[in-house]
Amino acid sequence: MPLFDLASARERRQLALASHPAVQAPRVPERKRLRYEEMIEFIERLVVEGNLAPGDMLPTQAELAAAAGVSLITVRRALEELERAGRVRRHQGVGTYLARPRIISEPGRPGGLLDTLRRAYDSGGQGRDHQDGQEQGEPRVGNRLLSLGQGVPSESLRTTLQLAADAPVWEIRRQRLVNGEPKIYETAVIPVALAPGLDRYTEELNGSLYELLAGRYGLEDQAEEQYLEVASADDEERRLLRLPSKSQVVRLRGLSTDQRGVPFDCFTQVYPALEFGFYVSGGSSRGLFRTTSWEGWGITIAPVRSEEK
């Protein structure tokens, strides 16, 4: 059974056009709506009438054009605008899907990123599995360790972490997952001197990094300073987050300090731009994190352990 009754939709549109008064000029001139704007309204109406939920697939562009009596160019423009607004997702060669509500992340809240994902899916009703129509329970939220290596940081990283020359650091690359799907790509850089033997706890790195650091090394996340920007995803980000070409991402770079004010983690998190919103509350900066450039945050690294497949 199709999600939309396209024949009925076409008949309703023709009836509306036939019954619309031909001559009744408004008292106040109004801007004539463009065809793609009318097409957006048509799609929105079909979504409501079809009782579609996030993750459901829309009719093909050809089907939408036939139902609305417009050109494919008009349909494509309408879908482009809906995608730009974050309301649909288009996958080349597959189709167009209703987008899920944005996940609200709180960058200024120390730690707790996994809890943020759990709350977003619990409160947003995003646990529905649209492949079999069954409702999911609590979402499966977790991490996947991609690699763990040790190396020498760039000068910029060394300065930010207040390290001596040639002091080694750990580089941890992970994906944040919801129901098995990667939602965030994260890199953490931690001084080896503050977390010696971290490579003995790779299994725990599939859980909360900050719980591990607090429990094993007494490093508690007391404060964070962050910088974010929107940019085009690079090849690695698209691959790890399963994004289509030309996707935009939000890159968030930050520095965490412990209860003594010692910097212990320089991190980068990459979010799909159309899937996340960010809530930031007021606060004061300690001025430890000064760079607004992505240049120079590199590591000369020899892998210690890699689990990426």
Side-chain angles (χ1 to χ4, degrees):
M1 180 178 180
L3 293 172
F4 296 113
D5 187 347
L6 294 175
S8 297
R10 188 184 304 111
E11 292 175 3
R12 287 195 297 273
R13 176 176 173 80
Q14 292 173 346
L15 180 61
L17 291 173
S19 61
H20 188 73
V23 181
Q24 280 188 7
R27 295 181 181 179
V28 179
E30 296 181 358
R31 180 181 70 85
K32 183 180 179 180
R33 290 204 305 168
L34 301 176
R35 287 189 176 181
Y36 82 85
E37 294 174 326
E38 294 178 344
M39 188 64 209
I40 289 174
E41 183 178 305
F42 181 80
I43 294 172
E44 291 173 339
R45 189 164 60 250
L46 287 179
V47 168
V48 172
E49 293 172 355
N51 194 29
L52 294 192
D56 284 334
M57 188 167 69
L58 297 177
T60 66
Q61 294 184 15
E63 290 172 334
L64 287 171
V70 299
S71 68
L72 284 173
I73 294 176
T74 298
V75 173
R76 292 191 189 106
R77 175 65 188 280
L79 292 176
E80 287 173 0
E81 295 298 326
L82 288 170
E83 184 177 38
R84 188 173 293 115
R87 300 171 67 182
V88 302
R89 301 279 184 272
R90 294 191 295 169
H91 299 279
Q92 188 173 5
V94 179
T96 302
Y97 296 81
L98 282 184
R100 301 182 187 279
R102 289 179 185 258
I103 301 170
I104 304 301
S105 178
E106 299 181 51
R109 180 172 175 262
L113 184 53
L114 290 179
D115 287 338
T116 293
L117 293 176
R118 288 190 184 97
R119 289 198 309 272
Y121 276 74
D122 285 340
S123 62
Q126 300 185 53
R128 176 177 168 183
D129 184 344
H130 296 284
Q131 293 181 344
D132 57 18
Q134 298 297 315
E135 293 292 324
Q136 301 277 347
E138 182 178 350
R140 293 179 290 108
V141 176
N143 298 313
R144 176 185 293 142
L145 177 63
L146 299 175
S147 65
L148 169 64
Q150 187 180 129
V152 178
S154 65
E155 182 179 354
S156 177
L157 271 174
R158 180 169 58 82
T159 301
T160 302
L161 288 169
Q162 301 177 6
L163 298 177
D166 298 326
V169 294
W170 297 109
E171 182 188 59
I172 306 164
R173 297 170 58 247
R174 303 189 301 172
Q175 292 167 308
R176 303 299 186 109
L177 309 174
V178 177
N179 294 330
E181 293 294 320
K183 293 298 179 184
I184 303 168
Y185 169 43
E186 178 182 73
T187 302
V189 178
I190 299 169
V192 171
L194 296 179
L198 185 62
D199 53 342
R200 299 196 304 266
Y201 308 116
T202 54
E203 288 299 321
E204 294 182 48
L205 288 172
N206 288 314
S208 170
L209 172 61
Y210 280 14
E211 286 182 8
L212 186 158
L213 293 176
R216 298 286 185 180
Y217 302 104
L219 297 173
E220 297 182 3
D221 183 20
Q222 189 68 27
E224 292 183 1
E225 295 187 12
Q226 301 172 348
Y227 164 76
L228 62 82
E229 69 178 17
V230 179
S232 297
D234 61 29
D235 291 341
E236 182 179 44
E237 291 164 348
R238 287 197 300 272
R239 177 176 65 85
L240 292 174
L241 293 173
R242 302 177 186 175
L243 299 175
S245 61
K246 300 182 180 179
S247 292
Q248 299 286 301
V249 294
V250 175
R251 296 195 190 108
L252 187 151
R253 174 176 289 178
L255 173 69
S256 294
T257 56
D258 67 9
Q259 59 273 29
R260 300 164 297 170
V262 176
F264 71 89
D265 180 21
C266 278
F267 60 87
T268 301
Q269 295 170 344
V270 182
Y271 302 76
L274 294 180
E275 296 186 31
F276 282 82
F278 297 87
Y279 172 79
V280 181
S281 59
S284 59
S285 171
R286 302 183 62 185
L288 297 175
F289 182 54
R290 299 179 182 276
T291 180
T292 57
S293 171
W294 296 103
E295 301 299 327
W297 263 34
I299 296 174
T300 304
I301 193 165
V304 173
R305 174 164 179 165
S306 177
E307 298 189 3
E308 185 171 3
K309 297 180 180 180

